[in-house]
Amino acid sequence: MPLSISRRQFVAGTLGVLGAAALGDGFLIEPTAIQVSRHDLVMPGLGPELENLRIACLSDVHLHEGVPRAAAGALEQLGRERPDVVVLIGDICNRRSDLATLTAWARDARGTRATFATLGNWEHDAGIDRATAERAYGQVGVELLYNSSARVGAGPSALTIVGIDDPVLGEPDVALAVRDVDAADPSVWLVHAPGYVDGISRDRVPRPAAILAGHTHGGQVRLPFGPAIVTNCGIDRGRARWLHRWDDQMYFHICAGLGTNPYAPIRFACRPEASLLTLVPRT
């Protein structure tokens, strides 16, 4: 005798299968399925020495008691791509006990020309202060930017990288960070939490060509083809990730990051991301 089921049973069973598949994807597959997003940054005043310079942006690695698969996968991608500059935009590790892991991981996460890092809220929450982070990163040639700036290249075609301390638990000081920045030089700002940018008076500081941020995890859990469920900061949901044109002079890129919130180790419709940004002169 054939088995007969009602429509309600069929729908419930189908939803159960889909739910189980979504949970499996969210907990087991997507957290390690790293993607490399590629973007062009069209920059005015870009000297010929900086044309096609590539910046790899990594954030929210959340190293803790070892190196997660996504973080290891990012190192493999960097080895293949060999970007000129790598920027590590905060929440790279979770605890002071993870500093040795951070140093070992950062040794292989370096650009061919320079590597810079900023602090995120997790480092501050762990009591990792500026001096401690400088020692850990400095062992492997990574420069911590803490309300400060550095230059890639020399002379009139140098690129200025500005690092602002974490706005959530740190002490950001944008005026101090840009103190040595020439308004005529192309510059890129690094700041962990992107919502901070909304409160900066743009007419009081030299305008960057781009701002790179993390913190949102790209939403971490997103409705398929829809908005983020979690943005991890106050920025509007439409800007939880990807590259946006802030205005006709500036880009704003929010990296979805490599890790997950340790209390919610799931990603859905939001894969771990390493961003690769190529500098292109404005014609």
Side-chain angles (χ1 to χ4, degrees):
M1 182 176 182
L3 180 65
S4 176
I5 61 173
S6 68
R7 173 179 290 184
R8 178 177 296 178
Q9 289 172 321
F10 175 79
V11 171
T14 300
L15 290 176
V17 170
L18 292 175
L23 286 173
D25 177 82
F27 281 101
L28 300 176
I29 299 175
E30 285 206 36
T32 61
I34 185 173
Q35 65 176 331
V36 178
S37 64
R38 301 173 189 273
H39 313 277
D40 287 344
L41 294 182
V42 181
M43 300 180 69
L46 191 68
E49 294 84 355
L50 295 176
E51 288 187 24
N52 299 316
L53 181 140
R54 297 186 305 158
I55 302 174
C57 176
L58 306 178
S59 73
D60 301 277
V61 184
H62 289 290
L63 296 170
H64 181 55
E65 296 181 348
V67 177
R69 287 175 58 191
L75 296 183
E76 294 176 4
Q77 293 287 355
L78 291 177
R80 284 191 287 268
E81 297 287 349
R82 293 185 56 79
D84 301 281
V85 177
V86 172
V87 294
L88 309 175
I89 312 183
D91 282 8
I92 307 303
C93 73
N94 292 353
R95 296 285 181 262
R96 288 180 68 94
S97 58
D98 300 316
L99 282 172
T101 302
L102 177 146
T103 298
W105 183 85
R107 179 182 292 111
D108 296 322
R110 293 175 56 194
T112 59
R113 295 182 62 175
T115 309
F116 304 102
T118 60
L119 296 179
N121 53 286
W122 274 83
E123 284 98 353
H124 278 288
D125 185 64
I128 300 172
D129 58 13
R130 178 180 184 174
T132 301
E134 284 178 337
R135 285 194 298 271
Y137 279 122
Q139 293 177 47
V140 290
V142 177
E143 182 175 354
L144 180 75
L145 296 179
Y146 186 98
N147 296 325
S148 58
S149 64
R151 289 164 69 84
V152 178
S157 20
L159 175 70
T160 301
I161 307 292
V162 174
I164 302 169
D165 189 27
D166 172 60
V168 178
L169 295 179
E171 298 180 350
D173 188 334
V174 67
L176 179 61
V178 302
R179 179 179 57 183
D180 298 324
V181 177
D182 190 320
D185 292 342
S187 66
V188 172
W189 290 8
L190 314 177
V191 59
H192 179 65
Y196 175 73
V197 175
D198 292 329
I200 296 175
S201 298
R202 301 187 207 173
D203 58 344
R204 300 184 62 182
V205 294
R207 177 169 291 227
I211 297 175
L212 311 181
H215 188 58
T216 69
H217 295 187
Q220 196 168 304
V221 175
R222 305 178 67 91
L223 297 177
F225 310 107
I229 302 300
V230 180
T231 60
N232 211 28
C233 77
I235 200 166
D236 68 81
R237 292 171 185 266
R239 289 189 284 140
R241 62 175 181 173
W242 300 117
L243 181 71
H244 307 271
R245 195 78 195 218
W246 189 273
D247 53 29
D248 62 346
Q249 299 181 55
M250 189 175 76
Y251 290 94
F252 189 21
H253 177 64
I254 305 170
C255 183
L258 292 171
T260 62
N261 186 309
Y263 302 113
I266 181 173
R267 280 184 179 266
F268 184 74
C270 182
R271 290 164 58 188
E273 176 190 19
S275 308
L276 192 62
L277 313 169
T278 302
L279 306 190
V280 178
R282 177 175 291 173
T283 57

